[in-house]
């Protein structure tokens, strides 16, 4: 750019500059500070400037791969409106989920949420393909896409319950990973999706899916899986826990007591207290004459019969201390 052109540009009134800038797709670039800056320097400044993108009317700062997430509008499930044209939206849904345009992708994800809430039967035949594409969006490096996909997962759990089980493994892995990362707003959204999963997917189907992640090499993944496991087990109820095998649950919880992260240890402690309560309730309801070989009468004896001495000691220490604390606080 010549010096004459730069001088002419700087001579344009402020209002005209603003109009010229707004006519170029909402991308704002800094003007040259003085007439002596060469073209290369101007290009460097323009490249370094933050662009402006718009989603649903909200402006978002665009810095390379990441977006100014704080200004992206994330619509809560209860605030989503119904689809205007269900048939057209259904026909274009997969195309939108495969789009490389992140704005169109986010809109398609929100449409998946709308189908889940308002027209879940319409999407049922393509649910497996939709979940696979949602998983791909969970891996997207753009945080706006990732969080929208997480919110989509929660709505899918809420709508389809056990129908997601056949497609759950890759979805579960990504949610555990996202709930374990450092970006707080992504982490919190993933944790809410995991709560939705443990709320709406039946424990007998979910627990076997969670079990392998309790031994994952990533301690954060183990911690999140432990918390899910802890929430899911009580939903079985007394009879369900008994049928599944209370000794198996105690052994699993005992192994988590020595985990690296406090979240895992706390989840194990909560689960053990729940199992102790269930065990004592079941014994109270079961006459001793029902079996020729009744189970050990006390919680202590039961733990010692099912666990190694060190594990039994750790379990009893946790449950006894917690019970003593409850008694003292009552």
């Amino acid at each position: 750019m010549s010096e004459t052109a730069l001088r002419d540009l700087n001579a344009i009134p402020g209002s005209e500059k603003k109009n010229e800038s707004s006519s170029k797709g909402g991308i704002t670039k800094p003007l040259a500070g003085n007439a002596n800056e060469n073209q290369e320097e101007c290009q460097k400044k323009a490249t370094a400037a933050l662009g402006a993108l718009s989603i649903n009317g909200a402006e978002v700062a665009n810095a390379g791969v990441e977006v100014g997430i704080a200004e992206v509008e994330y619509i809560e499930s209860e605030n989503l409106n119904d689809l205007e044209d269900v048939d057209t939206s259904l026909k274009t849904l997969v195309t939108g989920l495969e789009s490389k345009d992140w704005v169109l992708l986010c809109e398609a994800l929100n449409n998946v949420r709308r189908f889940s809430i308002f027209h879940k039967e319409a999407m049922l035949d393509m649910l497996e393909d939709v979940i696979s594409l949602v998983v791909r969006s969970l891996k997207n490096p753009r945080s706006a896409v990732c969080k929208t996909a997480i919110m989509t997962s929660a709505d899918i759990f809420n709508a389809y319950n056990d129908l997601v089980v056949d497609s759950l493994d890759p979805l579960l892995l990504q949610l555990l990973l996202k709930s374990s990362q450092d970006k707080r707003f992504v982490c919190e959204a993933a944790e809410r999706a995991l709560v939705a999963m443990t709320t709406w997917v039946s424990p007998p189907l979910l627990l076997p899916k969670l079990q392998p992640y309790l031994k994952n090499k990533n301690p954060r993944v183990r911690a999140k899986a432990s918390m899910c496991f802890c929430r899911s087990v009580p939903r079985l109820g007394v009879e369900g826990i008994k049928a599944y095998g209370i000794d198996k649950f105690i052994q699993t919880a005992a192994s988590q007591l020595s985990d690296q992260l406090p979240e895992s240890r706390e989840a194990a402690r909560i689960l053990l207290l729940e199992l102790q309560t269930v065990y004592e309730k079941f014994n109270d309801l079961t006459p001793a004459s029902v079996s020729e070989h009744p189970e050990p009468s006390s919680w202590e004896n039961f733990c010692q019969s099912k666990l190694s001495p060190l594990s039994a000691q750790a379990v009893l220490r946790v449950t006894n201390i917690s019970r003593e604390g409850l008694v003292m606080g009552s």
Side-chain angles (χ1 to χ4, degrees):
M1 184 180 292
S2 66
E3 293 185 8
T4 303
L6 284 171
R7 283 196 296 270
D8 292 342
L9 181 61
N10 287 330
I12 297 175
S15 60
E16 293 183 22
K17 290 181 187 178
K18 183 176 181 181
N19 292 336
E20 181 181 354
S21 173
S22 63
S23 67
K24 294 183 179 180
I27 306 297
T28 57
K29 298 182 180 180
L31 299 176
N34 61 65
N36 293 324
E37 288 183 344
N38 57 32
Q39 182 178 4
E40 182 180 354
E41 187 65 19
C42 290
Q43 290 174 342
K44 287 182 180 179
K45 287 194 174 186
T47 302
L50 298 178
L53 298 175
S54 178
I55 305 176
N56 295 331
E59 289 203 344
V60 186
N62 178 19
V65 174
E66 286 300 331
V67 180
I69 302 119
E71 296 187 24
V72 177
E73 183 181 5
Y74 299 109
I75 308 172
E76 296 300 327
S77 302
E78 57 270 22
N79 296 328
L80 279 170
N81 296 322
D82 196 355
L83 294 156
E84 294 181 1
D85 188 335
V86 175
D87 292 336
T88 301
S89 297
L90 189 63
K91 291 177 182 177
T92 59
L93 188 61
V94 171
T95 302
L97 292 172
E98 292 175 339
S99 176
K100 294 182 179 180
D101 184 322
W102 72 274
V103 178
L104 294 178
L105 178 53
C106 285
E107 182 58 30
L109 288 167
N110 279 327
N111 281 344
V112 172
R113 300 175 65 200
R114 292 182 177 100
F115 273 110
S116 299
I117 295 169
F118 299 107
H119 309 281
K120 66 178 184 180
E121 294 82 5
M123 200 173 66
L124 191 57
D125 291 340
M126 55 195 300
L127 183 60
E128 187 174 346
D129 293 334
V130 167
I131 290 177
S132 177
L133 291 170
V134 170
V135 170
R136 190 167 80 174
S137 293
L138 286 169
K139 301 176 184 178
N140 194 297
R142 192 180 292 275
S143 297
V145 174
C146 180
K147 179 170 178 178
T148 306
I150 292 171
M151 298 173 76
T152 303
S153 302
D155 287 327
I156 287 175
F157 289 136
N158 195 343
Y160 294 100
N161 310 147
D162 293 348
L163 295 175
V164 306
V165 168
D166 291 339
S167 308
L168 185 59
D169 288 329
L171 184 58
L172 173 58
L173 173 60
Q174 288 304 312
L175 291 175
L176 289 172
L177 289 172
K178 298 307 175 185
S179 68
S180 306
Q181 67 168 249
D182 294 328
K183 288 182 182 176
R184 183 175 177 181
F185 77 105
V186 172
C187 176
E188 290 176 347
E191 287 178 343
R192 288 192 292 271
L194 289 172
V195 169
M197 178 189 70
T198 55
T199 301
W200 297 108
V201 180
S202 299
L205 298 175
L206 180 59
L207 290 171
K209 302 286 187 182
L210 288 169
Q211 201 94 32
Y213 294 106
L214 298 176
K215 298 180 180 180
N216 193 274
K217 292 181 179 179
N218 185 329
R220 290 188 177 183
V221 169
R222 287 200 307 272
K224 300 303 180 182
S226 295
M227 294 166 69
C228 291
F229 200 83
C230 173
R231 287 194 300 268
S232 191
V233 169
R235 294 187 59 231
L236 286 167
V238 174
E239 294 294 337
I241 290 175
K242 180 71 174 179
Y244 201 99
I246 190 170
D247 53 331
K248 296 177 182 177
F249 289 137
I250 292 173
Q251 290 162 4
T252 298
S255 67
Q256 298 298 307
L257 280 178
S258 58
D259 196 83
Q260 177 180 347
L261 291 184
E263 292 92 336
S264 293
R265 300 195 296 270
E266 178 63 12
R269 186 188 70 82
I270 293 171
L271 178 56
L272 285 167
L273 287 172
E274 179 70 26
L275 293 173
Q276 182 182 15
T277 301
V278 168
Y279 177 78
E280 291 172 351
K281 281 183 179 179
F282 192 84
N283 276 355
D284 290 342
L285 297 173
T286 305
S289 59
V290 168
S291 172
E292 295 180 1
H293 304 283
E295 295 183 2
S297 57
S298 72
W299 169 252
E300 181 178 352
N301 289 339
F302 182 75
C303 291
Q304 290 172 343
S305 69
K306 300 297 182 181
L307 301 170
S308 68
L310 286 178
S311 294
Q313 184 180 10
V315 168
L316 293 172
R317 181 169 59 249
V318 165
T319 53
N320 289 340
I321 289 176
S322 298
R323 282 297 175 91
E324 289 173 2
L326 289 173
V327 171
M328 291 178 65
S330 61

